[in-house]
Amino acid sequence: MTSHVKLRKEKTGTVDYDIQIKEVRCQLVDQLKVLDLKLEQKTQQLQDLTDYLRRRGEIENEYARSLEKLAERFSSKTKSQTSVLRKDTTTNSVSQVWVALLTHTRQESKDHSEISESCSNVLIQPLTNCLDYTQRLARKVSLQPQQCTKKPWVLDKSTSLY
Amino acid sequence: MTSHVKLRKEKTGTVDYDIQIKEVRCQLVDQLKVLDLKLEQKTQQLQDLTDYLRRRGEIENEYARSLEKLAERFSSKTKSQTSVLRKDTTTNSVSQVWVALLTHTRQESKDHSEISESCSNVLIQPLTNCLDYTQRLARKVSLQPQQCTKKPWVLDKSTSLY
């Protein structure tokens, strides 16, 4: 009778343990789902930001090249005129205006070329690293539920020893 | 004999006057040539400046439109994400960054659109007026030599009265 009660108690303890393990497993699976969703959102955000910077870099580059071409076109045009009319003070003042205007245009072109470089390379690099890290994390997370499904069987075997 | 001398003196006076008139006419024609050249240069300068501003206006407009499209594209994309993840504080901070970034992009687009408007209309208008005025002046100058060629005949007639 005593051994029967002892066996019953042991069986009840094993069942409680199984229930607890199942509950923890369910909680873990739920938390992993939340983490998985968050990782997915983060990946999307990083991807969007990378896309924005890549396109912005292209736009800045196009703008810089257009300004450079414009400056180049009028630089050669006004240079030939200036060389012909060097002694005329009025023309000199106009040519000075041209020099200032084209210098300013070239400077703007350079500035936007640097912004393009920053967008396309400098800023994208840490984002790409972050994206890689997030994706590695996402892969690990996607493997966790399998491990969770395996573990209880291991635990079930171990608990059967009690 | 006295009337013969008088007639001779009158004839010599008329010949001197004709020579002086011819000299003045030659000087005037030379000066008109210089003025004509200057007007041509001015017209070219104004035309170049107008061409520069027109092309600059186009470049600024293209840049402004590209930025506006970029902001529009990511605005609709991030809005849908933000509405899904409104309660998440991390996502909110990221969405705040997006709002700031897109607001800045739109502001830049507006600024460059205004520069485009200034280049294509506001700044070109006085230049076009100035160009019209210069061309009218050039037309007048080109008519001057004809008048100069006519005038001496008129003067010759009047001098023949002395």
Side-chain angles (χ1 to χ4, degrees):
Chain A
M1 184 72 182
T2 321
S3 64
H4 182 70
V5 170
K6 214 175 187 179
L7 195 70
R8 204 179 164 186
K9 271 187 182 173
E10 272 177 6
K11 270 188 180 175
T12 315
T14 312
V15 170
D16 285 349
Y17 193 83
D18 281 352
I19 291 167
Q20 278 176 13
I21 286 289
K22 273 180 187 172
E23 274 175 9
V24 168
R25 199 178 64 189
C26 283
Q27 279 176 14
L28 192 63
V29 167
D30 286 346
Q31 282 170 0
L32 284 172
K33 273 181 190 170
V34 172
L35 189 63
D36 194 29
L37 185 71
K38 282 212 174 193
L39 282 171
E40 204 179 295
Q41 290 160 7
K42 281 270 169 257
T43 308
Q44 190 57 49
Q45 282 169 4
L46 289 167
Q47 193 58 55
D48 284 347
L49 210 54
T50 309
D51 288 350
Y52 173 90
L53 288 171
R54 192 164 283 131
R55 180 68 193 122
R56 180 73 189 255
E58 285 170 7
I59 292 169
E60 295 297 333
N61 191 39
E62 281 165 25
Y63 181 59
R65 281 179 64 194
S66 298
L67 287 181
E68 181 57 35
K69 267 188 189 175
L70 182 73
E72 198 56 49
R73 180 181 151 196
F74 283 92
S75 181
S76 53
K77 211 172 185 178
T78 50
K79 251 181 201 167
S80 59
Q81 282 176 22
T82 314
S83 61
V84 173
L85 319 158
R86 200 168 288 276
K87 282 171 190 170
D88 187 351
T89 48
T90 324
T91 314
N92 269 350
S93 81
V94 173
S95 75
Q96 277 167 12
V97 167
W98 265 117
V99 167
L101 190 62
L102 297 178
T103 306
H104 184 260
T105 309
R106 273 208 192 87
Q107 190 54 51
E108 273 205 80
S109 169
K110 271 185 193 171
D111 291 348
H112 285 271
S113 187
E114 277 169 22
I115 295 174
S116 168
E117 176 65 18
S118 293
C119 288
S120 305
N121 299 317
V122 185
L123 290 171
I124 279 185
Q125 198 50 54
L127 279 177
T128 312
N129 295 342
C130 200
L131 201 61
D132 286 347
Y133 175 74
T134 311
Q135 279 167 350
R136 274 204 304 275
L137 208 61
R139 235 173 283 135
K140 271 190 184 176
V141 167
S142 68
L143 290 172
Q144 284 298 320
Q146 295 173 12
Q147 289 173 1
C148 284
T149 327
K150 280 175 189 168
K151 267 183 182 168
W153 293 105
V154 179
L155 284 166
D156 279 349
K157 274 183 187 174
S158 64
T159 49
S160 68
L161 294 172
Y162 285 108
Chain B
M1 184 69 185
T2 322
S3 63
H4 180 72
V5 171
K6 216 177 186 179
L7 194 70
R8 204 179 160 184
K9 271 186 181 173
E10 272 177 5
K11 271 190 178 173
T12 314
T14 313
V15 170
D16 286 348
Y17 192 83
D18 281 352
I19 290 167
Q20 279 177 12
I21 286 290
K22 275 181 186 170
E23 276 175 7
V24 168
R25 199 179 63 192
C26 283
Q27 281 176 12
L28 191 64
V29 168
D30 286 345
Q31 282 170 0
L32 284 172
K33 274 182 188 168
V34 173
L35 188 63
D36 194 30
L37 186 71
K38 281 211 171 192
L39 281 171
E40 204 179 295
Q41 290 161 5
K42 281 270 169 258
T43 308
Q44 191 57 50
Q45 282 169 2
L46 288 167
Q47 193 59 55
D48 284 349
L49 211 52
T50 309
D51 288 349
Y52 173 90
L53 288 171
R54 191 164 284 129
R55 181 67 195 125
R56 181 72 190 256
E58 284 170 8
I59 292 169
E60 296 296 332
N61 191 39
E62 282 165 23
Y63 180 60
R65 282 179 63 195
S66 298
L67 287 181
E68 181 57 37
K69 269 188 187 174
L70 182 73
E72 199 55 48
R73 179 181 151 198
F74 285 92
S75 182
S76 52
K77 210 170 186 179
T78 49
K79 250 181 201 169
S80 57
Q81 283 176 22
T82 314
S83 61
V84 173
L85 319 158
R86 201 167 288 276
K87 283 171 190 169
D88 187 352
T89 48
T90 322
T91 315
N92 269 352
S93 80
V94 172
S95 75
Q96 277 167 13
V97 167
W98 266 117
V99 167
L101 189 61
L102 297 177
T103 307
H104 185 259
T105 308
R106 274 208 193 87
Q107 191 54 51
E108 272 205 81
S109 170
K110 272 185 191 169
D111 291 348
H112 284 272
S113 187
E114 278 169 23
I115 295 174
S116 169
E117 175 66 18
S118 294
C119 287
S120 304
N121 299 317
V122 185
L123 290 171
I124 279 185
Q125 198 51 52
L127 279 177
T128 313
N129 295 342
C130 199
L131 201 60
D132 287 347
Y133 175 75
T134 312
Q135 278 168 349
R136 276 205 302 276
L137 207 64
R139 236 173 282 135
K140 270 190 186 176
V141 167
S142 68
L143 290 172
Q144 283 298 319
Q146 294 172 12
Q147 290 172 0
C148 285
T149 327
K150 279 176 193 169
K151 267 182 182 168
W153 293 106
V154 179
L155 285 166
D156 280 347
K157 274 181 188 175
S158 63
T159 50
S160 68
L161 293 170
Y162 286 106

